[in-house]
Short mmCIF file of all heavy atoms in Angstrom, two decimals:
data_model
loop_
_atom_site.label_atom_id
_atom_site.label_comp_id
_atom_site.label_asym_id
_atom_site.label_seq_id
_atom_site.Cartn_x
_atom_site.Cartn_y
_atom_site.Cartn_z
N VAL A 28 -19.80 -9.25 -6.03
CA VAL A 28 -18.95 -8.04 -5.97
C VAL A 28 -19.61 -7.01 -5.07
O VAL A 28 -18.95 -6.39 -4.23
CB VAL A 28 -18.73 -7.47 -7.38
CG1 VAL A 28 -18.04 -6.11 -7.29
CG2 VAL A 28 -17.88 -8.43 -8.22
N SER A 64 13.54 -3.44 -4.85
CA SER A 64 13.32 -4.89 -4.94
C SER A 64 12.95 -5.48 -3.59
O SER A 64 12.40 -6.58 -3.51
CB SER A 64 14.57 -5.58 -5.50
OG SER A 64 15.66 -5.47 -4.59
N PRO A 68 7.87 -6.06 -3.25
CA PRO A 68 7.23 -7.35 -2.93
C PRO A 68 6.55 -7.35 -1.56
O PRO A 68 5.46 -7.91 -1.41
CB PRO A 68 8.40 -8.34 -2.97
CG PRO A 68 9.43 -7.69 -3.82
CD PRO A 68 9.30 -6.22 -3.55
N ALA A 116 -24.72 -20.54 4.22
CA ALA A 116 -23.53 -21.40 4.27
C ALA A 116 -22.54 -21.03 3.17
O ALA A 116 -21.32 -21.10 3.36
CB ALA A 116 -23.93 -22.86 4.14
N THR A 117 -23.05 -20.62 2.01
CA THR A 117 -22.18 -20.23 0.90
C THR A 117 -21.45 -18.94 1.23
O THR A 117 -20.24 -18.80 0.95
CB THR A 117 -23.00 -20.05 -0.38
OG1 THR A 117 -23.73 -21.26 -0.65
CG2 THR A 117 -22.10 -19.75 -1.57
N ILE A 123 -14.74 -17.36 5.00
CA ILE A 123 -13.62 -18.17 5.50
C ILE A 123 -12.51 -18.25 4.46
O ILE A 123 -11.32 -18.17 4.79
CB ILE A 123 -14.12 -19.58 5.89
CG1 ILE A 123 -15.05 -19.48 7.11
CG2 ILE A 123 -12.95 -20.52 6.17
CD1 ILE A 123 -15.74 -20.78 7.46
N ALA A 125 -11.77 -16.02 2.10
CA ALA A 125 -11.07 -14.73 2.03
C ALA A 125 -10.14 -14.55 3.23
O ALA A 125 -9.00 -14.08 3.07
CB ALA A 125 -12.09 -13.59 1.97
N ALA A 127 -8.80 -16.95 4.99
CA ALA A 127 -7.71 -17.91 4.86
C ALA A 127 -6.66 -17.40 3.88
O ALA A 127 -5.45 -17.54 4.11
CB ALA A 127 -8.26 -19.26 4.40
N ILE A 137 5.42 -12.57 6.47
CA ILE A 137 6.18 -12.82 7.70
C ILE A 137 7.46 -13.61 7.41
O ILE A 137 8.53 -13.30 7.94
CB ILE A 137 5.29 -13.56 8.72
CG1 ILE A 137 4.23 -12.61 9.27
CG2 ILE A 137 6.12 -14.15 9.86
CD1 ILE A 137 3.14 -13.30 10.06
N ALA A 155 -10.35 -11.02 14.80
CA ALA A 155 -11.12 -9.78 14.89
C ALA A 155 -12.05 -9.63 13.70
O ALA A 155 -13.18 -9.13 13.82
CB ALA A 155 -10.18 -8.58 15.00
N GLY A 161 -19.58 -12.10 14.25
CA GLY A 161 -19.72 -13.54 14.39
C GLY A 161 -19.58 -13.99 15.83
O GLY A 161 -19.18 -13.23 16.71
N ALA A 189 5.03 -0.88 7.44
CA ALA A 189 6.32 -0.17 7.53
C ALA A 189 7.39 -1.05 8.17
O ALA A 189 8.52 -1.11 7.68
CB ALA A 189 6.15 1.12 8.32
N TRP A 198 8.36 7.15 13.99
CA TRP A 198 7.31 8.01 14.52
C TRP A 198 6.36 8.48 13.42
O TRP A 198 5.17 8.72 13.67
CB TRP A 198 7.91 9.21 15.25
CG TRP A 198 8.68 10.18 14.38
CD1 TRP A 198 10.00 10.12 14.05
CD2 TRP A 198 8.16 11.35 13.75
NE1 TRP A 198 10.34 11.18 13.25
CE2 TRP A 198 9.24 11.96 13.06
CE3 TRP A 198 6.90 11.95 13.71
CZ2 TRP A 198 9.09 13.13 12.31
CZ3 TRP A 198 6.74 13.12 12.97
CH2 TRP A 198 7.84 13.71 12.28
N ILE A 199 6.87 8.61 12.20
CA ILE A 199 5.99 9.02 11.11
C ILE A 199 4.96 7.93 10.82
O ILE A 199 3.78 8.22 10.58
CB ILE A 199 6.82 9.36 9.85
CG1 ILE A 199 7.47 10.73 10.03
CG2 ILE A 199 5.95 9.33 8.60
CD1 ILE A 199 8.21 11.26 8.83
N ALA A 200 5.38 6.68 10.87
CA ALA A 200 4.43 5.58 10.68
C ALA A 200 3.37 5.59 11.79
O ALA A 200 2.19 5.33 11.53
CB ALA A 200 5.16 4.25 10.65
N LEU A 216 -18.43 4.50 10.93
CA LEU A 216 -19.43 5.39 11.51
C LEU A 216 -20.52 5.75 10.50
O LEU A 216 -21.68 5.89 10.86
CB LEU A 216 -18.76 6.67 12.03
CG LEU A 216 -17.99 6.56 13.35
CD1 LEU A 216 -17.24 7.85 13.63
CD2 LEU A 216 -18.93 6.23 14.50
N ASP A 226 -30.66 -1.01 13.69
CA ASP A 226 -29.80 -1.67 14.69
C ASP A 226 -30.43 -1.63 16.08
O ASP A 226 -30.31 -2.57 16.86
CB ASP A 226 -28.42 -1.00 14.73
CG ASP A 226 -27.55 -1.40 13.54
OD1 ASP A 226 -27.90 -2.38 12.86
OD2 ASP A 226 -26.54 -0.73 13.30
N VAL A 261 4.58 16.12 10.66
CA VAL A 261 5.19 15.38 9.55
C VAL A 261 5.58 16.35 8.44
O VAL A 261 6.66 16.24 7.85
CB VAL A 261 4.22 14.31 9.02
CG1 VAL A 261 4.89 13.51 7.90
CG2 VAL A 261 3.79 13.38 10.15
N GLY A 280 -17.54 18.26 2.02
CA GLY A 280 -18.87 17.84 1.60
C GLY A 280 -19.50 16.81 2.52
O GLY A 280 -20.61 17.02 3.04
N ARG A 287 -25.55 18.25 8.86
CA ARG A 287 -26.86 18.83 8.56
C ARG A 287 -27.99 17.84 8.75
O ARG A 287 -29.16 18.17 8.51
CB ARG A 287 -26.86 19.36 7.12
CG ARG A 287 -26.05 20.64 6.95
CD ARG A 287 -25.87 21.01 5.49
NE ARG A 287 -25.13 22.26 5.35
CZ ARG A 287 -24.62 22.70 4.19
NH1 ARG A 287 -24.78 21.99 3.08
NH2 ARG A 287 -23.96 23.85 4.15
N ALA A 300 -17.97 8.91 -0.51
CA ALA A 300 -17.13 10.10 -0.37
C ALA A 300 -16.07 9.92 0.70
O ALA A 300 -14.93 10.37 0.56
CB ALA A 300 -18.01 11.31 -0.03
N LEU A 306 -8.74 7.20 0.49
CA LEU A 306 -7.87 6.75 -0.58
C LEU A 306 -6.95 7.87 -1.07
O LEU A 306 -5.73 7.70 -1.17
CB LEU A 306 -8.70 6.22 -1.74
CG LEU A 306 -7.94 5.73 -2.97
CD1 LEU A 306 -7.03 4.57 -2.61
CD2 LEU A 306 -8.91 5.34 -4.08
N LEU A 313 1.61 9.01 0.64
CA LEU A 313 2.64 8.15 0.06
C LEU A 313 3.56 8.95 -0.85
O LEU A 313 4.80 8.87 -0.74
CB LEU A 313 1.97 7.03 -0.73
CG LEU A 313 2.88 6.15 -1.61
CD1 LEU A 313 3.89 5.39 -0.76
CD2 LEU A 313 2.05 5.20 -2.46
#
Side-chain angles (χ1 to χ4, degrees):
V28 171
S64 66
T117 305
I123 293 172
I137 289 168
W198 66 272
I199 284 185
L216 284 173
D226 284 346
V261 182
R287 287 170 178 167
L306 179 61
L313 170 63

